[in-house]
Amino acid sequence: MTKTRVGRSALVIAMAVALVNCTSGPSEQEAAAERQARQQAEKAEYMKVKRERHVAAEMVMPLMATGSHMAPMPAPAQPQYQDDFEQFDANPVKRVADEPVSTFSADVDTTSYSFVRKQLNRGYLPEKSAVRLEEMVNYFDYNYPLPTSANRPFLPTVVVHDSPWAEHRKLVHIGIQGYELEQREQPDSNLVFLLDVSGSMNAPDKLPLVRQSIKLLLKTLKPTDTIAIVVYAGAAGTVLEPTKVAQAAKIIEALDKLKAGGSTAGGEGLQLAYRLAESNFDKQAVNRIMLATDGDFNVGLSDPEQLTDFVERKRQSGIYLSVIGFGRGNYKDALMQSLAQNGNGIAAYIDTLAEAQKLFVEEATSSLFPIAKDLKIQVEFNPAVVNEYRLLGYETRALKEEDFNNDKVDAGDIGSGHAVTAIYEVTLNGQPGSYLDESRYTSGDSGAGNDVSAEMGYLKIRYKLPGEDTSQLLEQPIMSAAKVTPAIMQDVNFATAVAGFAQLMKDGKYTGQWSLDDAFNLALANKGEDYYGYRGEFTQLIRQAKVAEEAEF
């Protein structure tokens, strides 16, 4: 309701009062009662307008950009949410003499960045446990050199440069670019969409956005690709048997009939989706289940360990599972991450139609077509050169040293054209600024030979090609004097800005006096071409973080 309608209501009341005065002449008591009634009516109209504006505010960004000026808008009322993120502490500093080897699983998920963006766009700082640095950094594309063969699908780029937030320290930037399948190399897609249509999905950024997202993906698929749709609420059911994309109208009709309501029998839906995928399995195609949900499983098979065990067993059959999150309120991120990791798929979060465009149109090949599985990264630092190190991010992806050579240990799966970025912060021997005191009883003799004395460390990468069970190994030394092109250095600097911003959003424990202004300036100076505008959007997120409020979780 507008101010004009409020004014008209008040005018009608005033005219009625005037008419009464002209006829009978109210007593003083009656006049007071009329004034009170008029004030209550006006207050009721005002509160209704205020509530409507709060609802509208939920659908817009709390900061509006005009040129280079960001004008803060009042943030909407913050409800209490039950979103569940895994709690973790940032990786600690480690002494090379004590623990020279660092091992972790690759991660190309992007859920954290999208979730953080959604919260900042609403005017609030993100929950700290929702900030996963590696997912923030890996949200962006980087122009690393491309591999030339699917048989050797990874090409590492290593850059050593000064840390912007810690004087006397260095950053070791490791970029691993995946091979991009040409169109003729892309197999058919055999997809089963498992859609949550429970009552909690009845919101504009949930089921309606799911429908829009799938319709975008339809435009990128081949006519020979196949789609089936399974839904779950209080129970699970098949609403579309496997259908060729050539019959897109039939698929869209099924989507448009979906409505939200009921409880959430997610486990039952998973079982049905796998049965449908198995009955229509195509050895020559990519067989994948795409789970779209706000994350709550509360009916039937719902125990997290049982669910992940079920998915882990099913991946052996060649059916992968990817998880796409929508909306806020009861998003069970820890469960969604576990399902995707055990299902050899990606975990992503769609907060806007633009994000759906990014995931299902611009990056459709990397979302659908795997080029390798179980990608593991291991770095051994040279104690003759490096005193201490810490890995930025990947806390939930840590592996034991012995896991690296064990092909039975599951790790990250990489799609066509995906890149993986990892950053270490190191302190060199003989340089000030160490976090750890020198050990009183440890000898300074590292035993390193002269032939490796110039190496900062050694990088190893293990992966399996699709359909294979035996891993392959890539390895190379990490040299501090390696030459870097200006284009690569620009990407390295931008990734560093994202990593610094993520640390500030998490706890800023290791960033010293480095600020959001510093992150903004570094990102802006290295934004580059930015064809789709994602890097420019990131710089504005930094500015929004400066005026965002603490949220109550």
Side-chain angles (χ1 to χ4, degrees):
M1 181 175 288
T2 63
K3 290 182 178 178
T4 302
R5 292 176 63 185
V6 174
R8 287 174 180 170
S9 299
L11 181 61
V12 169
I13 294 172
M15 291 175 64
V17 172
L19 183 60
V20 172
N21 288 339
C22 290
T23 56
S24 60
S27 66
E28 184 175 342
Q29 187 176 6
E30 289 173 332
E34 289 168 358
R35 285 196 300 272
Q36 184 177 5
R38 182 171 63 250
Q39 291 170 353
Q40 289 176 344
E42 291 176 348
K43 183 177 180 180
E45 294 286 1
Y46 171 76
M47 293 304 296
K48 187 175 181 180
V49 171
K50 189 174 181 180
R51 284 194 299 270
E52 290 175 350
R53 286 175 178 170
H54 270 299
V55 172
E58 291 282 343
M59 307 302 296
V60 301
M61 290 174 54
L63 294 174
M64 300 295 290
T66 305
S68 60
H69 176 67
M70 297 294 290
M73 292 178 63
Q78 173 73 357
Q80 292 291 324
Y81 289 115
Q82 300 298 320
D83 300 306
D84 179 27
F85 290 89
E86 180 180 354
Q87 301 289 332
F88 63 90
D89 294 325
N91 284 324
V93 177
K94 296 185 178 182
R95 193 192 312 275
V96 176
D98 298 335
E99 194 173 342
V101 178
S102 170
T103 309
F104 60 95
S105 165
D107 185 9
V108 292
D109 296 342
T110 58
T111 297
S112 179
Y113 184 88
S114 300
F115 202 92
V116 167
R117 176 180 59 199
K118 184 180 184 70
Q119 189 70 344
L120 288 173
N121 281 343
R122 298 185 67 254
Y124 292 94
L125 293 172
E127 183 178 357
K128 291 183 178 181
S129 58
V131 181
R132 291 189 287 268
L133 184 147
E134 71 279 5
E135 294 186 21
M136 302 281 287
V137 171
N138 285 319
Y139 180 84
F140 300 93
D141 286 331
Y142 302 103
N143 296 313
Y144 303 136
L146 288 166
T148 57
S149 171
N151 293 322
R152 192 177 175 85
F154 298 111
L155 185 61
T157 298
V158 181
V159 178
V160 179
H161 63 110
D162 293 334
S163 170
W165 53 75
E167 191 177 2
H168 306 301
R169 298 193 188 98
K170 300 284 186 181
L171 296 184
V172 179
H173 183 108
I174 301 170
I176 302 172
Q177 178 62 55
Y179 177 75
E180 187 162 3
L181 295 171
E182 296 181 15
Q183 190 169 12
R184 59 180 176 80
E185 299 176 289
Q186 297 171 7
D188 281 348
S189 295
N190 187 20
L191 306 178
V192 176
F193 279 95
L194 175 57
L195 308 182
D196 183 351
V197 293
S198 62
S200 63
M201 291 290 287
N202 187 21
D205 61 346
K206 294 187 179 182
L207 186 56
L209 188 54
V210 171
R211 287 197 293 258
Q212 290 176 300
S213 301
I214 297 175
K215 290 175 183 179
L216 284 176
L217 179 61
L218 280 175
K219 297 178 181 179
T220 70
L221 297 176
K222 301 190 294 291
T224 52
D225 293 333
T226 301
I227 282 183
I229 299 176
V230 172
V231 299
Y232 65 91
T238 301
V239 299
L240 181 70
E241 295 290 339
T243 303
K244 295 294 182 183
V245 172
Q247 298 177 270
K250 182 179 179 181
I251 299 171
I252 292 172
E253 182 182 8
L255 287 170
D256 288 341
K257 290 181 179 179
L258 298 178
K259 294 182 179 180
S263 52
T264 316
E268 185 180 346
L270 265 179
Q271 292 171 315
L272 178 58
Y274 274 104
R275 287 198 296 270
L276 188 59
E278 289 166 350
S279 67
N280 195 51
F281 187 83
D282 183 351
K283 289 184 178 180
Q284 305 303 317
V286 172
N287 298 273
R288 186 181 299 274
I289 295 171
M290 307 283 282
L291 169 60
T293 177
D294 64 356
D296 196 13
F297 286 36
N298 54 32
V299 174
L301 179 63
S302 58
D303 179 74
E305 287 191 15
Q306 290 181 334
L307 285 166
T308 52
D309 287 347
F310 173 76
V311 169
E312 185 178 0
R313 289 194 300 271
K314 288 297 185 180
R315 77 164 183 246
Q316 305 301 328
S317 67
I319 299 172
Y320 294 164
L321 171 68
S322 291
V323 181
I324 316 297
F326 291 83
R328 285 217 60 186
N330 60 342
Y331 187 67
K332 301 299 184 280
D333 175 80
L335 176 59
M336 300 299 100
Q337 291 284 326
S338 180
L339 290 177
Q341 290 175 21
N342 285 278
N344 281 9
I346 64 166
Y349 181 85
I350 293 179
D351 56 331
T352 63
L353 192 58
E355 184 63 21
Q357 172 86 11
K358 179 179 186 291
L359 183 66
F360 286 146
V361 178
E362 296 153 18
E363 300 175 357
T365 57
S366 57
S367 301
L368 296 176
F369 306 122
I371 58 170
K373 58 183 181 179
D374 295 340
L375 178 63
K376 305 171 187 175
I377 301 170
Q378 186 173 82
V379 174
E380 179 183 359
F381 287 101
N382 181 359
V385 179
V386 181
N387 179 37
E388 60 188 25
Y389 70 90
R390 67 181 181 98
L391 173 62
L392 277 57
Y394 292 95
E395 289 87 357
T396 62
R397 295 282 189 155
L399 296 175
K400 298 176 182 177
E401 183 177 346
E402 61 267 26
D403 291 342
F404 183 75
N405 292 322
N406 187 349
D407 285 349
K408 294 293 185 180
V409 175
D410 185 54
D413 299 276
I414 307 300
S416 170
H418 258 147
V420 179
T421 298
I423 303 172
Y424 286 90
E425 185 178 73
V426 303
T427 306
L428 304 182
N429 285 334
Q431 294 295 318
S434 293
Y435 288 109
L436 304 174
D437 290 335
E438 184 177 348
S439 177
R440 180 180 179 87
Y441 299 106
T442 300
S443 170
D445 182 11
S446 67
N450 292 331
D451 56 333
V452 298
S453 60
E455 297 178 7
M456 291 185 65
Y458 202 68
L459 170 66
K460 295 180 180 179
I461 301 169
R462 276 204 179 276
Y463 63 92
K464 299 172 189 171
L465 292 174
E468 296 188 2
D469 296 322
T470 302
S471 66
Q472 300 187 32
L473 176 67
L474 291 174
E475 51 188 340
Q476 71 175 58
I478 297 174
M479 311 296 292
S480 61
K483 293 184 178 180
V484 182
T485 66
I488 292 295
M489 199 63 227
Q490 186 176 66
D491 277 352
V492 166
N493 285 332
F494 186 83
T496 301
V498 180
F501 173 74
Q503 290 179 88
L504 293 172
M505 291 294 96
K506 176 72 174 174
D507 54 21
K509 183 177 179 180
Y510 295 105
T511 50
Q513 300 302 311
W514 206 69
S515 67
L516 288 172
D517 286 330
D518 295 319
F520 174 83
N521 291 332
L522 185 60
L524 188 64
N526 293 277
K527 189 171 65 171
E529 187 177 46
D530 195 27
Y531 182 79
Y532 292 111
Y534 300 129
R535 295 189 178 192
E537 177 192 60
F538 171 70
T539 62
Q540 298 311 313
L541 285 183
I542 299 175
R543 301 181 75 176
Q544 288 172 225
K546 290 185 64 177
V547 297
E549 300 177 9
E550 292 282 353
E552 296 181 6
F553 294 99

